């Protein structure tokens, strides 16, 4: 078959072509047997088009919370990046930045003149006063007291519990000596965590807005966009700490992030589900409270599992 003859049919599914794209499979009617400058032109057009949708998506996400989800549910989708693609893209950038930067999401620090760990009696163990700092620069040599790992032997008379205590104490000491390890642990657990977080939020939304008879997929898109906003906010917070070399207290940066997230969530609920402010505030509090309790438990489990493994 000659090139001219094949131009009227799709090279992928051989359906008749009626335009630049195949109506059957969606493939563009093009091939690589053409000048390089034409291929480069198409590539640049794709990048510019991608950037156009990206900036439109980010503008809607930050300036008009809930608008993108409402548009997506109503069928106005081509103007935005697909929610799952943006969600994955943002999470990958976040993990990369956490790996490359010297900002630890959490760091164990001594609290006052705390003594070393001591064993007081069989089944009891006193730990040193360790506190947690968030979004702090990792020092070259962390002056953090560590726990005497032999003390774990006195935590219990049961061999299985002793083994668990020993591995847990080892994990705590490792995290104390290398604060940046928390980023690695969180980065590795992020995928599993989000596989739980998005469905949990979507299910809560489905239950509280059951009377609106919306499909679960609409709530999933809402949850994806909300988590994408949080990821971008956390990414900005880490970059800010990295650029200013920890000039701002991490706890205040984290507090500002949480307040911004809470306000965004409230406004997104109002625009998406179109209920009164009183009802929206109550449902926002219910969803946030239930969601945080469920995910804090899951996050703690994943963190402990990562430390003892």
């Amino acid at each position: 078959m000659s090139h001219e003859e094949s131009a009227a049919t799709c090279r992928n599914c051989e359906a008749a072509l009626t335009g630049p794209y195949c109506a059957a499979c969606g493939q563009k009617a093009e091939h690589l047997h053409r000048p390089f400058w034409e291929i480069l032109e198409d590539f640049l057009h794709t990048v510019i088009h991608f950037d156009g949708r990206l900036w439109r998506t980010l503008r809607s996400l930050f300036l008009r919370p809930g608008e993108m989800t409402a548009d997506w549910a109503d069928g106005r989708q081509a103007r935005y990046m697909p929610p799952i693609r943006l969600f994955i893209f943002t999470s990958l950038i976040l993990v990369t930045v956490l790996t490359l930067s010297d900002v630890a999401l959490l760091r164990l620090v001594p609290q006052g003149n705390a003594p070393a760990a001591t064993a007081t009696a069989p089944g009891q163990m006193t730990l040193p006063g360790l506190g947690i700092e968030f979004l702090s620069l990792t020092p070259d040599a962390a002056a953090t007291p560590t726990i005497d790992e032999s003390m774990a032997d006195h935590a219990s008379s049961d061999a299985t519990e002793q083994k668990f205590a020993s591995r847990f104490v080892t994990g705590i000491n490792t995290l104390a000596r290398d604060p940046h390890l928390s980023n690695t642990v969180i980065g590795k657990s992020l995928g599993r965590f989000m596989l739980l977080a998005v469905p949990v939020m979507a299910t809560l939304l489905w239950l509280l807005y059951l009377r609106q008879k919306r499909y679960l997929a609409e709530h999933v898109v809402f949850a994806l966009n909300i988590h994408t906003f949080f990821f971008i906010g956390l990414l900005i917070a880490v970059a800010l700490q990295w650029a200013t070399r920890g000039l701002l207290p991490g706890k205040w940066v984290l507090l500002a992030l949480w307040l911004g997230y809470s306000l965004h969530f409230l406004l997104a609920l109002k625009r998406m589900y179109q209920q009164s402010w009183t009802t929206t505030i109550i449902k926002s509090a219910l969803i946030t409270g239930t969601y945080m309790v469920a995910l804090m438990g899951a996050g703690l489990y994943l963190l402990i599992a990562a430390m003892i493994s």
Side-chain angles (χ1 to χ4, degrees), residues 242-256:
W242 193 10
T244 62
R245 307 311 300 158
L247 182 63
L248 301 173
K251 61 181 180 180
W252 295 115
V253 175
L254 194 64
L255 177 62

Side-chain angles (χ1 to χ4, degrees), residues 69-137:
T69 309
D71 283 348
W72 192 268
D74 290 339
R76 296 182 292 273
Q77 303 171 359
R79 65 185 69 177
Y80 303 114
M81 286 186 63
I84 186 64
R85 185 183 301 175
L86 184 63
F87 173 80
I88 295 174
F89 179 69
T90 306
S91 61
L92 288 176
I93 293 179
L94 177 60
V95 171
T96 301
V97 171
L98 290 178
T99 303
L100 297 178
S101 74
D102 59 350
V103 177
L105 288 180
L106 61 90
R107 180 166 76 94
L108 298 178
V109 293
Q111 295 292 313
N113 297 320
T118 56
T120 55
Q124 298 180 1
M125 183 171 63
T126 302
L127 302 181
L130 296 179
I132 298 179
E133 281 186 356
F134 297 96
L135 293 175
S136 65
L137 297 179

Side-chain angles (χ1 to χ4, degrees), residues 11 34 109 117 131 153 201 204 278 301 308:
R11 293 175 176 271
R34 54 198 177 116
V109 293
D153 297 336
M201 178 174 285
L204 290 173
T278 301
Y301 167 78
I308 66 176

Side-chain angles (χ1 to χ4, degrees), residues 26-53:
Q27 177 173 288
K28 190 174 182 179
E30 62 180 10
H31 50 80
L32 295 180
H33 301 292
R34 54 198 177 116
F36 176 76
W37 66 269
E38 289 187 6
I39 299 176
L40 180 61
E41 183 181 11
D42 284 349
F43 173 75
L44 293 176
H45 177 269
T46 301
V47 171
I48 293 172
H49 180 66
F50 171 81
D51 285 346
R53 284 202 302 166

Side-chain angles (χ1 to χ4, degrees), residues 47-229:
V47 171
I48 293 172
H49 180 66
F50 171 81
D51 285 346
R53 284 202 302 166
L54 175 61
W55 291 119
R56 189 181 301 114
T57 299
L58 294 178
R59 185 171 62 247
S60 177
L61 186 65
F62 277 86
L63 299 183
R64 297 184 61 82
E67 179 186 64
M68 183 167 57
T69 309
D71 283 348
W72 192 268
D74 290 339
R76 296 182 292 273
Q77 303 171 359
R79 65 185 69 177
Y80 303 114
M81 286 186 63
I84 186 64
R85 185 183 301 175
L86 184 63
F87 173 80
I88 295 174
F89 179 69
T90 306
S91 61
L92 288 176
I93 293 179
L94 177 60
V95 171
T96 301
V97 171
L98 290 178
T99 303
L100 297 178
S101 74
D102 59 350
V103 177
L105 288 180
L106 61 90
R107 180 166 76 94
L108 298 178
V109 293
Q111 295 292 313
N113 297 320
T118 56
T120 55
Q124 298 180 1
M125 183 171 63
T126 302
L127 302 181
L130 296 179
I132 298 179
E133 281 186 356
F134 297 96
L135 293 175
S136 65
L137 297 179
T138 58
D140 294 333
T144 303
T146 56
I147 305 170
D148 184 355
E149 296 184 10
S150 66
M151 296 298 103
D153 297 336
H154 301 278
S156 172
S157 58
D158 183 78
T160 302
E161 292 181 4
Q162 283 187 3
K163 183 179 179 180
F164 174 86
S166 177
R167 297 180 69 176
F168 181 75
V169 169
T170 301
I172 289 289
N173 284 340
T174 303
L175 188 60
R177 297 188 188 100
D178 182 11
H180 194 264
L181 184 63
S182 66
N183 292 6
T184 304
V185 172
I186 293 173
K188 289 182 177 180
S189 303
L190 190 62
R192 286 176 292 174
F193 187 77
M194 285 300 105
L195 284 176
L196 174 66
V198 171
V200 165
M201 178 174 285
T203 302
L204 290 173
L205 290 166
W206 177 73
L207 290 173
L208 286 179
Y209 292 98
L210 198 59
R211 290 187 176 182
Q212 293 195 3
K213 297 181 179 180
R214 292 179 178 272
Y215 290 103
L216 183 60
E218 298 179 48
H219 304 303
V220 170
V221 170
F222 184 94
L224 286 171
N225 289 334
I226 286 293
H227 285 89
T228 296
F229 175 84

